[in-house]
């Protein structure tokens, strides 16, 4: 019996923005990245729900390059 893989928003662009504390690749905080496995499905879903708004904020602040 295999264990299902944990889904992660990581895109292997790991750089934390000093102003917001969010990763420029996925939008998570360092604490969220470190706790990802321990958060459980509900915790990961809650973090995932916040990421689109965080990434939009980072883009509006000019922290991200042009995206298609």
């Amino acid at each position: 019996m295999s264990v299902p893989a944990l889904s992660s928003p990581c895109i292997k662009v790991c750089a934390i923005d000093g102003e917001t504390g969010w990763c420029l690749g996925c939008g998570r905080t360092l604490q969220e990245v470190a706790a990802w496995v321990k958060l459980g499905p509900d915790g990961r879903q809650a973090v995932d729900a916040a990421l689109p708004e965080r990434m939009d904020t980072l883009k509006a602040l000019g922290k991200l390059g042009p995206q298609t």
Side-chain angles (χ1 to χ4, degrees):
M1 184 177 205
S2 65
V3 177
L6 294 176
S7 176
S8 171
C10 181
I11 62 166
K12 310 290 190 242
V13 177
C14 304
I16 300 299
D17 174 58
E19 183 180 346
T20 63
W22 300 330
C23 174
L24 298 175
C26 69
R28 296 180 293 171
T29 66
L30 283 175
Q31 294 80 11
E32 291 165 344
V33 170
W36 192 251
V37 173
K38 296 178 183 177
L39 287 176
D42 291 338
R44 290 190 295 271
Q45 185 175 2
V47 172
D48 271 336
L51 299 182
E53 184 175 343
R54 291 180 188 179
M55 296 305 288
D56 287 346
T57 299
L58 288 169
K59 189 169 185 178
L61 291 171
K63 306 285 184 164
L64 305 178
Q67 298 180 352
T68 58

